[in-house]
Amino acid sequence: MNVHQSISDQLFDLVGNTMAVFMVYLFVEANLSRLPQRVSRPVILTAVYCGLTLLALSMGVEVMPGVLMDPRFGIVVAATLTLGWRSGLAVGLCAGAVRLAAGGVGAVPGSLGVVLAWAGTWMCLVWHQRAEVRSTDGALPLWVVVVSSLMGALAPVMGLLWLAQARGLSVDSDLFVAIGLAQFVVAVLLWLAIALTTSRTQALLDLQQSNQALLQSFRQTIAALASAVLHRDPGAATHQRRVAALAVAVGQKLGLSGLRLEGLEMAALIHDIGQIEIPVEILSRPGLLTDAELGLVRLHPQMGYEILKDVSTPWPLAEIVYQHHENLDGSGYPRQLSGDAILLEARILRVCDIVEAMSSHRAFRPAVGLKQALDELRQMSGKQLDPQVVQACLALFERDGYQLPGV
């Protein structure tokens, strides 16, 4: 760029550089979630803005010997408007130091100019706060942005005027217009682009926090239901916790992860919640049950479904609980489901339920033992039980040395 270029060419060059700076900002902000959480977001973004001033200077165009035009002024204005006066000051001082280090006849006025751009923006923010005219959605009023951008445009013009008088330079009047107008456009565009991006990012963060709070509420609901079983039948609660631990390990072996794995754990922790409807005398009585009593016990998956069906969660907990005694060949209960009609989570629970039940003492029989439980899985594999789930469970115990927790 030189003094003989048209104003439109100068605007185009500076705006193009500004958009390149913004693309770098956009890339960095998109990856902020990967940075250590112990560093606050405003501190990271302040550092990003400081880095952008370095990039802006490297993209600067010499409009006259020793005088550069670049988006630094717009960056300082945008940083102050989006992050506040302290971060803006840090960015302004960084931009000034960078320009001073670059040297040239425009180093001093250029350095003072960026600080002046910050000061003008800061005064606009102060006036705004005293006037207390913030919009209902918390956004800055348009006049604050416009006036701040004008301050950012005035700073380099004043620096150029001072340089022209001090050095006796002859400066084309078109250059003053080009610099002032270009810096104004740069400041407005940069603030608008970054503000929209920041608003979107904040909305996503708010949504994530809301989802986390909702998940925590779901976990507390499940914990409350599991606690109800604990108070009524400590043995059943221990069984559910051991099944849950084994189910998670099997689920991981099968490649489940994230929210689905958590849903499997939640379902396992309450898979026998329906037994709360069955008299404890039946559940804890030694000896064999009558056919009528056995029929009542076999209703507990359906009873669990009735308890959970209206509990809103991200997982199909009610259906998993309903299906956890179904067999692959249709010989299970209570609905005689078969094949793919049985959810994978329910198939996993079926296997884990058998292993834990046979490995543990019950009122009506002593523990059978883990070895016999695993042999039982082999016999049922491909018939009543999902063979892939069985293989994953066997690998856990026989190859990985897994042990049921003593909870």
Side-chain angles (χ1 to χ4, degrees):
M1 184 187 300
N2 55 59
V3 294
H4 299 295
Q5 284 182 293
S6 68
I7 295 177
S8 60
D9 289 339
Q10 295 169 15
L11 277 170
F12 180 80
D13 287 345
L14 190 57
V15 171
N17 290 345
T18 301
M19 290 301 99
V21 166
F22 171 68
M23 293 304 295
V24 173
Y25 171 88
L26 189 62
F27 172 80
V28 173
E29 189 178 55
N31 290 276
L32 280 183
S33 59
R34 302 180 183 180
L35 297 177
Q37 296 299 310
R38 59 180 175 270
V39 182
S40 69
R41 183 180 179 84
V43 172
I44 295 176
L45 288 179
T46 300
V48 170
Y49 276 110
C50 289
L52 292 180
T53 62
L54 291 170
L55 178 63
L57 184 63
S58 69
M59 299 171 65
V61 181
E62 194 173 45
V63 296
M64 56 186 299
V67 179
L68 301 175
M69 187 165 77
D70 56 73
R72 277 175 301 127
F73 299 93
I75 293 172
V76 172
V77 171
T80 308
L81 290 175
T82 55
L83 297 178
W85 70 270
R86 291 184 180 86
S87 294
L89 177 60
V91 175
L93 292 175
C94 176
V98 167
R99 180 63 187 95
L100 197 60
V105 295
V108 174
S111 302
L112 295 176
V114 289
V115 177
L116 180 62
W118 164 80
T121 307
W122 171 64
M123 284 190 294
C124 290
L125 290 177
V126 171
W127 292 336
H128 161 58
Q129 290 169 357
R130 288 181 178 177
E132 296 182 347
V133 285
R134 185 170 287 271
S135 63
T136 55
D137 62 355
L140 287 173
L142 181 60
W143 74 266
V144 174
V145 178
V146 172
V147 175
S148 298
S149 300
L150 287 173
M151 293 290 187
L154 185 61
V157 173
M158 293 178 63
L160 189 58
L161 280 171
W162 175 44
L163 186 62
Q165 292 182 353
R167 297 295 181 110
L169 300 175
S170 176
V171 182
D172 193 318
S173 59
D174 287 347
L175 185 58
F176 287 106
V177 176
I179 289 179
L181 184 58
Q183 292 293 354
F184 173 77
V185 172
V186 162
V188 172
L189 286 179
L190 193 58
W191 171 83
L192 180 61
I194 291 176
L196 289 175
T197 303
T198 302
S199 176
R200 174 182 174 275
T201 302
Q202 188 59 49
L204 291 175
L205 289 174
D206 291 343
L207 181 60
Q208 290 175 357
Q209 292 173 356
S210 177
N211 287 340
Q212 287 299 319
L214 193 58
L215 281 176
Q216 184 59 28
S217 176
F218 293 144
R219 295 185 190 106
Q220 291 170 350
T221 299
I222 301 306
L225 292 172
S227 179
V229 176
L230 175 63
H231 289 300
R232 185 174 186 270
D233 186 350
T238 298
H239 165 71
Q240 292 188 139
R241 288 197 294 267
R242 284 159 61 91
V243 169
L246 177 56
V248 168
V250 171
Q252 290 173 331
K253 202 80 173 173
L254 292 170
L256 272 63
S257 61
L259 197 62
R260 191 173 185 186
L261 190 64
E262 186 173 13
L264 172 61
E265 182 180 19
M266 294 295 105
L269 285 171
I270 53 170
H271 72 273
D272 282 337
I273 186 68
Q275 291 184 2
I276 205 168
E277 300 286 346
I278 301 172
V280 71
E281 294 81 9
I282 294 178
L283 295 174
S284 59
R285 193 183 69 220
L288 296 176
L289 300 178
T290 66
D291 289 343
E293 290 171 337
L294 184 59
L296 182 60
V297 170
R298 287 189 169 185
L299 288 176
H300 80 270
Q302 182 175 350
M303 293 175 178
Y305 172 79
E306 294 298 328
I307 292 171
L308 297 171
K309 67 179 182 179
D310 295 324
V311 178
S312 177
T313 72
W315 316 284
L317 296 185
E319 194 60 37
I320 296 172
V321 169
Y322 207 174
Q323 298 179 11
H324 81 276
H325 274 292
E326 301 287 357
N327 289 332
L328 209 62
D329 60 2
S331 62
Y333 62 86
R335 291 181 288 174
Q336 293 77 51
L337 299 179
S338 63
D340 292 338
I342 306 172
L343 296 173
L344 175 59
E345 289 85 347
R347 290 182 241 166
I348 294 172
L349 282 187
R350 182 74 176 111
V351 170
C352 297
D353 198 17
I354 291 173
V355 172
E356 201 290 325
M358 293 184 67
S359 302
S360 303
H361 175 79
R362 290 292 186 270
F364 52 87
R365 60 147 177 84
V368 175
L370 179 62
K371 183 178 183 305
Q372 290 190 37
L374 298 183
D375 288 341
E376 185 75 9
L377 293 187
R378 290 188 178 91
Q379 293 178 17
M380 298 174 71
S381 179
K383 302 170 186 175
Q384 296 95 333
L385 304 180
D386 186 315
Q388 291 184 326
V389 177
V390 170
Q391 285 303 117
C393 187
L394 292 175
L396 272 176
F397 285 101
E398 297 177 345
R399 189 177 67 196
D400 301 343
Y402 180 86
Q403 293 183 347
L404 287 167
V407 292

